[in-house]
Amino acid sequence: MTASRITLADIRAARERIAGKVLATPTVLSPTLSERLGIPVHIKLEHRQTTGSFKLRGASNAIASLSAEERARGVVAASTGNHGRALAHAAKLESMRAVICMSRLVPQNKLDEIRHLGAEIHIVGNSQDDAQEEVERLVAAEGLVMLPPFDHPAIIAGQGTLGLEIIEQVADAALVLVPLSGGGLASGVAAAVKGVSPGAEVVGISMERGAAMKASLDAGRPVQVEELPTLADSLGGGIGLDNRLTFSMCRDLLDDVILLGEDEIAAGIRHAYEQEREIVEGAGAVGIAALLAGKLRANGPVVLILSGRNIDMTLHRKVVCGEAITERDL
């Protein structure tokens, strides 16, 4: 794996490395969305992954790629929740120390799940950037190995295994919709999908409130954005001003980036529950939300990723019941 681009060969090697450590999740046809769009719409049920999100793929590959000396030192990462849970799970399987640094914006249910897995938790500041500063302090002070949530070769290659499954399950996919935050999932999936099926389009979906990758792509370079409360909390955080991989890969591989309002994301959560019978968090619902909002057109089969289910169930109930959502709820 190089510092400039993760290749299809890297992703295939990652799949071999994590075999037996992650689930190969199913992809199913959505009758309601297919009827609405007039073309087949398939849903990748990645929210059924062991830790409730796709993040286990990258975390498992990163842990498996460490040397014996690095494993003995332990790992540390900043997270908005799902990467932390995945890394805690993967580290626990190897009897390794794991420290997860998060901001005060991370929902309590995600903190509880990470703590349950035995990881140490540091709550620092009000943004992913603040949490990252704590990560760097721990690396310098305690010698921990940093495994960031997205801008890391092994993380990206691991997430890309999801893209291999998508093309194997829906060989004629014309459009793949990927939740977009720091770009680890989007760049890995795009590299896999386009590596196998060059004619397929891959579109990143994010929220209007603090979409760092979209702002960076518009600016032509990584930029900072204000991190704001959102139903799609897993898509929050910056991409890092010194981003090495995901910015350039998203710039070169994504065909478009779509932003969604909070009401649109809520509609996606409701549809997933009422029509697809699936419980997903806001970040996991953005593909559905983009289709419901009429913000995308496709000339052939669509695949969208339900990327995570780790939503606070009190919040989920309010969304499904159509109750007003305030920043206190987030």
Side-chain angles (χ1 to χ4, degrees), residues 208-221:
E208 293 174 352
R209 293 174 62 83
M213 182 61 79
K214 171 62 171 171
S216 297
L217 293 172
D218 288 346
R221 57 181 174 80

Side-chain angles (χ1 to χ4, degrees), residues 1-7 10 150-154 156 242-249 251-252:
M1 288 177 281
T2 69
S4 59
R5 180 64 61 87
I6 305 307
T7 68
D10 296 326
F150 51 87
D151 197 34
H152 186 284
I156 298 169
D242 58 349
N243 187 288
R244 299 181 304 125
L245 292 165
T246 60
F247 170 75
S248 60
M249 289 183 70
R251 179 194 63 205
D252 297 343

Side-chain angles (χ1 to χ4, degrees), residues 67 120 128 130 151 222 232 251 265-266 287 318 325:
S67 67
E120 302 167 38
Q128 185 86 329
D130 293 336
D151 197 34
R251 179 194 63 205
I265 297 169
K318 288 186 175 183
I325 305 299

